[in-house]
Amino acid sequence: MANQVVLRSVPQSLSAKFVGSFAYLTVKDRLPTILTKVIDTIHRNKDKFFEEHGEEGVQAEKRAISLLSKLRNELQTDKPVLALTDNVVDTDMWNQYLQRQQALMDDNEPPSWFKSPWLYVECYMYRKIQESLHLNPPICDFDVFKEAKTKSFFESQQPIMAICTYLQELNKNMDDLSETQLLEHFLKLLQVSLWGNKCDLSISAGQDNSQKASPVDSLEDLKPFILVDDSNLVWSVLTNGKIPGGSSKLQGRVDIVLDNAGFELVTDLIFADFLVSSGLASKVCFHGKSMPWFVSDTTKEDFHWTIRQTLAANHKWMSKSGAQWQCYLKDGTWSYYDHSFWTLPHEFCDMAADAPDLYATLQKSDLIFFKGDLNYRKLTSDRDWGHTEPFEKALRGFQPASLCSLRTLKANVQVGLQPGQGENLTAQEPTWMTSGKYAVVQFSSPHREQ
Ligand SMILES: O=P(O)(O)OC[C@H]1O[C@](O)(CO)[C@@H](O)[C@@H]1O
Ligand SMILES: [Mn+2]
């Protein structure tokens, strides 16, 4: 009974079937453009495939491109979504999900690009890119987005140096900090990690004056754009409910569900370093993607590459930071995990049933940070919620531990706002939900008293 009430009160999924919506424009314009770029990247790497695998590599390149061109055509002409055929570890999960989507369709129509939920078809596109490579074994490990991720890291060297310098200076003085100063630094580094998710991948790169290129210097100006700021509740968890002045630190386990590689990943590593070196946490578990995903998302390879690059940098504080991070990984203070659930199309409220092992892992955490927009869409099931609906309600029972979303808004779902806040923003700036200009620090806890 209760379940039926809950089911009926869930708003509909965002979908390209709503002509003119952001989902519609994404499926119509942005996804085919991404596919075109992927095809182009594979083609440009033809010589590399030849060098590595001879003629077989070239044939694999041709076949992959032909599958991807077919995919783009199916997408653009709203053809049915097809079952996967690559027989790898998550193939069955995807195909079962397709059946679930089939059951949701009216009049037994097949799920399709413009009729099914946006979250589903967008995830499916990235999984199909992977399928086109899986079906062509010589090139199945090729990361079609690697170049873009690498470029974003190298283009953000200025702010990366600045933030590593900030971290190392802070670490030198950590023992002398008062609780109030510690809170100040915590807020700053949390916000650096938050704005690291901004769509241009860097906060201050590109400014002429490199002296000013410290992400920390921009934070004050960005504050008005944080629409929900639950940082005090996050701090409260990390200090066992003590307000500044007390001296109780959680020293527990913090999990970070990562989003993008490049500048954002560095900001996450900096934040994680601070959590450990300040004693607020004793252990940080990072969660990344097990395949190239949504162009810039972090894979295991990206994670380790970034730390190696930071260590190898010709900059004292960057290099010191990278060395410290290697040590944290070696001594188990930090650990990296991936799980196929993160690259499935499921809403996170399905995790307990569909990936109970991952849910159980997260339950061991004291605090979980979810980085970025896609994680927010999955936390809230990517549905058409009213802006004043409570975050807890949109989570629909997903509550493995205290959690905090650090997200800049790039898709039109946003809950937990004050009455009138969303309406005012819409009146002033119709694209406020998709421009990446606004952000939220949104917290929820199973132990929350209010
Ligand atoms: O890297 P992030 O912050 O998850 O952003 C990815 C987002 O970008 C989009 O492609 C929209 O701009 C969404 O589909 C997705 O939620
Ligand atoms: Mn991403």
Side-chain angles (χ1 to χ4, degrees):
M1 268 292 273
N3 245 349
Q4 280 172 5
V5 175
V6 171
L7 278 180
R8 250 184 274 129
S9 67
V10 177
Q12 51 191 341
S13 300
L14 303 179
S15 167
K17 72 182 167 199
F18 303 111
V19 176
S21 67
F22 187 67
Y24 171 80
L25 295 172
T26 300
V27 177
K28 182 169 94 53
D29 299 328
R30 297 204 4 262
L31 299 190
T33 305
I34 291 171
L35 279 176
T36 302
K37 284 195 181 141
V38 168
I39 290 171
D40 190 57
T41 303
I42 294 178
H43 188 62
R44 272 191 293 104
N45 280 274
K46 199 173 158 189
D47 292 346
K48 167 183 142 75
F49 299 141
F50 181 73
E51 276 160 31
E52 286 172 8
H53 314 285
E55 191 50 32
E56 231 190 298
V58 178
Q59 290 310 319
E61 174 253 351
K62 282 199 183 120
R63 281 194 306 267
I65 287 180
S66 139
L67 289 172
L68 289 166
S69 307
K70 180 168 167 279
L71 180 69
R72 184 177 51 190
N73 184 267
E74 288 169 0
L75 184 164
Q76 288 178 311
T77 52
D78 194 22
K79 292 287 185 304
V81 167
L82 303 171
L84 297 174
T85 60
D86 54 4
N87 239 330
V88 294
V89 65
D90 63 348
T91 307
D92 284 347
M93 287 290 274
W94 275 95
N95 291 343
Q96 281 160 21
Y97 204 77
L98 171 57
Q99 283 169 16
R100 249 190 248 181
Q101 290 299 326
Q102 175 68 71
L104 295 175
M105 297 298 288
D106 294 331
D107 305 327
N108 216 20
E109 264 192 290
S112 72
W113 290 92
F114 283 78
K115 293 192 196 84
S116 291
W118 171 32
L119 178 62
Y120 172 51
V121 298
E122 192 170 21
C123 291
Y124 175 79
M125 183 190 84
Y126 289 95
R127 181 59 180 81
K128 283 290 279 186
I129 293 173
Q130 216 46 36
E131 186 195 42
S132 75
L133 299 172
H134 286 155
L135 294 174
N136 291 291
I139 61 169
C140 64
D141 291 329
F142 181 66
D143 181 346
V144 290
F145 302 122
K146 184 73 192 167
E147 283 171 19
K149 290 182 276 196
T150 309
K151 190 162 170 260
S152 129
F153 177 83
F154 287 121
E155 281 178 355
S156 312
Q157 290 299 289
Q158 266 327 104
I160 290 177
M161 284 176 205
I163 195 70
C164 286
T165 306
Y166 179 91
L167 174 76
Q168 294 307 331
E169 271 164 15
L170 179 57
N171 279 350
K172 262 191 259 164
N173 302 318
M174 194 65 89
D175 294 342
D176 306 329
L177 295 181
S178 69
E179 203 79 1
T180 314
Q181 288 169 321
L182 193 66
L183 170 60
E184 260 170 44
H185 290 295
F186 164 76
L187 293 175
K188 281 185 180 161
L189 291 179
L190 177 120
Q191 283 165 34
V192 168
S193 167
L194 170 68
W195 291 113
N197 181 245
K198 214 174 153 97
C199 42
D200 60 356
L201 288 160
S202 75
I203 300 168
S204 49
Q207 284 186 0
D208 295 328
N209 187 347
S210 59
Q211 294 304 103
K212 273 181 68 194
S214 170
V216 179
D217 294 342
S218 321
L219 295 177
E220 220 29 62
D221 297 341
L222 290 168
K223 270 223 178 108
F225 301 103
I226 303 179
L227 302 177
V228 178
D229 189 355
D230 290 337
S231 309
N232 56 336
L233 297 173
V234 178
W235 174 255
S236 187
V237 170
L238 291 170
T239 53
N240 281 315
K242 297 269 170 27
I243 47 165
S247 61
S248 170
K249 289 177 184 166
L250 175 72
Q251 295 186 310
R253 166 177 151 181
V254 169
D255 285 51
I256 303 181
V257 182
L258 296 168
D259 186 7
N260 303 309
F263 181 65
E264 178 170 0
L265 175 58
V266 176
T267 66
D268 298 336
L269 296 169
I270 297 270
F271 184 46
D273 185 324
F274 169 77
L275 290 175
V276 169
S277 59
S278 63
L280 289 165
S282 61
K283 194 172 160 42
V284 178
C285 302
F286 296 95
H287 301 266
K289 305 296 193 294
S290 45
M291 71 173 90
W293 192 245
F294 278 70
V295 185
S296 42
D297 282 21
T298 307
T299 62
K300 187 177 184 178
E301 165 60 26
D302 300 325
F303 183 82
H304 293 293
W305 180 89
T306 303
I307 294 180
R308 283 199 305 274
Q309 286 297 324
T310 309
L311 171 64
N314 188 16
H315 180 272
K316 188 175 168 194
W317 303 123
M318 244 181 108
S319 176
K320 180 144 195 255
S321 303
Q324 180 64 69
W325 301 344
Q326 292 278 26
C327 288
Y328 284 148
L329 285 173
K330 267 202 195 107
D331 70 16
T333 305
W334 285 5
S335 38
Y336 178 92
Y337 301 91
D338 49 24
H339 191 289
S340 57
F341 186 81
W342 302 121
T343 47
L344 286 171
H346 298 54
E347 301 159 355
F348 286 165
C349 62
D350 292 338
M351 188 192 287
D354 292 327
D357 56 331
L358 179 60
Y359 197 79
T361 302
L362 294 182
Q363 281 179 311
K364 293 188 196 129
S365 183
D366 293 295
L367 175 63
I368 313 166
F369 289 100
F370 285 90
K371 290 296 316 281
D373 192 69
L374 179 62
N375 277 326
Y376 192 82
R377 290 173 61 194
K378 289 185 165 189
L379 284 166
T380 57
S381 299
D382 208 35
R383 283 163 192 268
D384 191 22
W385 299 101
H387 296 312
T388 54
E389 293 288 6
F391 187 37
E392 274 79 14
K393 184 175 171 191
L395 290 170
R396 299 170 69 206
F398 178 71
Q399 198 56 273
S402 294
L403 62 87
C404 174
S405 163
L406 297 178
R407 171 238 185 176
T408 62
L409 281 62
K410 300 174 210 162
N412 47 350
V413 53
Q414 183 56 56
V415 295
L417 298 186
Q418 296 301 314
Q421 201 180 359
E423 288 75 4
N424 288 343
L425 284 158
T426 305
Q428 286 159 21
E429 238 178 291
T431 60
W432 65 279
M433 273 191 286
T434 52
S435 60
K437 177 172 163 188
Y438 292 90
V440 291
V441 178
Q442 215 157 8
F443 176 81
S444 168
S445 171
H447 322 295
R448 210 162 156 186
E449 284 137 37
Q450 298 98 314

